[in-house]
Amino acid sequence: MRPVQTIYGIDFSGAKDAGNKTWVAKGVSEGEGLVIEECLRARDLRHSGKDIKVCLAAIVNLVKSNPYAVFGFDFPFGLPHSLVTENSW
């Protein structure tokens, strides 16, 4: 089994202009630590942009093109108030 050396962290946004608000950090393991090599907005990924559909496609491509990397995603599990009909849990 190949040891994981590259780790990505993605701070996700579901906004229309998600590419401007989603951040991607790339790190590599070094000893027992992590060295951050790159931090950029998702709009700056290859074939990306600020639009959510274009941005999401670029993130999917990033994941697919790095089969030996580990990805962590930070995104909310909530729903917009307009979609929730219950008053409580």
Side-chain angles (χ1 to χ4, degrees), residues 11-66:
D11 183 20
F12 183 77
S13 170
K16 282 184 179 181
D17 61 341
N20 289 336
K21 298 176 181 175
T22 298
W23 285 88
V24 179
K26 176 185 177 184
V28 293
S29 60
E30 188 172 289
E32 293 186 24
L34 177 70
V35 176
I36 303 298
E37 291 187 330
E38 189 174 18
C39 187
L40 63 143
R41 293 180 193 264
R43 71 175 183 217
D44 297 325
L45 292 171
R46 185 178 174 149
H47 303 295
S48 190
K50 69 177 187 171
D51 179 72
I52 190 167
K53 289 182 181 180
V54 176
C55 169
L56 291 178
I59 290 172
V60 168
N61 188 52
L62 177 68
V63 173
K64 286 181 173 181
S65 64
N66 289 280

